[in-house]
Amino acid sequence: MTTFQLNRRVFLAGVAASALFAPVAMAAEEAGIIYSGGPIITLDDANPRVEAVAVKDGLILAAGTAADVMKLKGANTKMVDLGGRALLPGFVDSHGHMVGGGLQALSANMLPPPDGPNNSVAVIQQTLRDWVSKNEDLIKKANIILGFGYDNSQLAELRHPTKEELDEISTDLPVAIIHQSGHLAVLNSKALELVGYSAETPDPAGGVIQRKPGTAEPNGVLEETAMMNALPKLLGNIGPAGVQALAIAGSELWASFGYTTAQEARAMPGVVKAMMAVAGDGGFKIDAVAYPDILVDRDFIKQTVSPDYKNRFRVAGAKLTIDGSPQGFTAWRDRSYYAPVGNYQPGYSGYSAATPEQVMDAIDWAYANDMQIITHSAGERASDLLITAVSTAQAKHGKKPTRPVLIHGHFEREDQVDSFVSLGVFPSLFPMHTFYWGDWHRDHTVGPGLADNITPTGWYLKRGAMFTSHHDAPVALPDSMRILDATVTRRTRSGDILGPNQRVPVDAGLKALSLWAAHQIFEEDRKGSIEKGKLADFVILTEDPAAVDPETLDQIVVAETIKEGVTIYTAPPEKLKKAERNNGQEHPFSTFLATLAVDRDFRNLPEKRQTPLARKILANAPHNRGCVSGVMFDILSTMTEKA
């Protein structure tokens, strides 16, 4: 941390302390807004729950009993009745790609269930055709047919689509679909031609151009740097204005899930400049932090990094990527993959996306320049290298308070957890992997033994260490409640519990989305909890996460997102109605009949499919008159038989 950063934080602490002991009359004559009428979870251990919160000029004026807070009510105070909904601190993104999220919002949805329909190659093809028919103007401007989010592990064929299958969509236009991990992609023949990949093209360092068996001809699948080198050439028509549009779309998507601070992790200089332009035009309703790639332009990082926001944007540090995707078998492991699906040699253990020399040099540069660095490390061998690099840098430069961050740490050994805690490396983990790819990890990547300890939140909590839970959007939607659900329950798609010992309580899961996430980016003095003097960044949820069955956490809906006292997102009525149905707010007898319908449907499933997840899916599905009629028929039949 720079001397400027330290002095600034001392100054802010002094301001907060003086405000704390000043008389209420000196602090403010009256509140601008007072929130009450529902559970208010502050995440402040000294004052965990309050009855009311007062806000003035974008800051929290008071949080406490209704009697005390109402003393700040004036003639012009706006009173907000929560109506039984829960008020929490706004969520802070601990790792995501906001501009990439905008790209996801403006491309064909290739995601598998439950986030999309794509469970086979044929469905992917149909999704692309449907998207093309509805987006002719966008395709003309961008000169590409683009999809995001396919996952070979969830396709019936258990493989990637091929270039020939994308050729069926178009042979005149380039077609590219990006893997849900963001580390692989499939290109059609036209796209491969445009980027110059052929049988004569060698694999780039840190990447693979997959080939047809027995030949050197590309099959369309690109891994890591092979993909990253190709996509900019295909997306060239988007231009700076297009990138700005993506940034705005991404920020709006984040806000819809309760985030008041977003992240663009691994930004290129052009993306940073586009975000600066959006900020300069007042285009961001939430705060956004960026981490440019440390292997691209270090001078640019030094020139732009700042602890302070300018128009809701700042460059917070640097990003390093050591390896790739665990579910895509490109994470760098210390042993062979358990049962990889694809054309892999015996003993295959992944590979690095950066050389050891690059990693050691990047970490050293960050320490030498008092720079926070966040590092993507998925496999055990990648984490071994990161530990060595940080240890070496600390021996040379001292253990500086720059809070280096481990991103992902999917496959960590327990000794590595001890090392990261000892070195002061902050863990930003990915618990949603337990839901989306937990079964895949158990059956294919690490095997049933090691799968229980992927994303080891429990190990960190046992050591008294903070951690954060992220979404890595657009790898997954920035769905805060699905993150919380996965962090607390660790349910897989099949309903299995992957590593019960790694589950954490709801309050820890909430802190990992807010207070601890604010700490990760050096903003715990102004964000992450509902305390006097902090920003009035809030999220209103349809239910209190601590008061519901943990198995229903992902059914909670973000009703409203508030940035510095201003509502920036309100859930549409149909979304809130669905939440009310899920929460049993309909007529009691209707709810009873719907519950019976779910039970009837569940019992009619094959026994091997009668899992907790299947019951949850049935409960979320609409139950129409036909379902209820069937239940009533069963009841009446039973009554008739007994009569």
Side-chain angles (χ1 to χ4, degrees), residues 21-39:
F21 294 104
V24 170
M26 292 179 62
E29 293 183 359
E30 68 178 47
I33 309 170
I34 292 178
Y35 298 89
S36 63

Side-chain angles (χ1 to χ4, degrees), residues 40 103 145 227 244 257 303 354 395 462 518 542 549 572 622 627:
I40 299 175
L103 181 64
I145 298 170
M227 179 204 74
Q244 292 175 35
F257 287 103
Q303 292 163 8
K462 186 173 74 172
T542 52
D549 179 350
C627 300

Side-chain angles (χ1 to χ4, degrees), residues 321-338:
T321 301
I322 296 181
D323 64 345
S325 161
Q327 71 272 30
F329 305 113
T330 60
W332 196 24
R333 303 204 59 211
D334 65 350
R335 67 202 79 184
S336 60
Y337 278 92
Y338 178 71

Side-chain angles (χ1 to χ4, degrees), residues 150-167:
Y150 87 91
D151 183 0
N152 56 301
S153 75
Q154 300 302 312
L155 299 181
E157 297 85 354
L158 287 180
R159 63 168 175 81
H160 300 276
T162 65
K163 67 178 180 181
E164 287 83 5
E165 287 164 335
L166 296 189
D167 286 343

Side-chain angles (χ1 to χ4, degrees), residues 207-222:
V208 171
I209 302 171
Q210 288 192 14
R211 320 284 175 161
K212 290 186 175 182
T215 76
E217 181 185 350
N219 67 6
V221 181
L222 308 178

Side-chain angles (χ1 to χ4, degrees), residues 39-99:
I40 299 175
I41 304 170
T42 68
L43 299 183
D44 172 16
D45 288 341
N47 196 25
R49 285 184 178 252
V50 297
E51 295 176 333
V53 175
V55 172
K56 183 178 178 63
D57 297 329
L59 298 176
I60 298 169
L61 186 61
T65 66
D68 285 343
V69 173
M70 291 305 172
K71 294 175 183 177
L72 299 171
K73 180 183 176 183
N76 298 312
T77 301
K78 177 183 177 182
M79 301 299 295
V80 176
D81 182 358
L82 295 171
R85 291 172 177 163
L87 182 75
L88 291 86
F91 300 133
V92 178
D93 184 7
S94 60
H95 183 72
H97 306 270
M98 190 182 77
V99 177

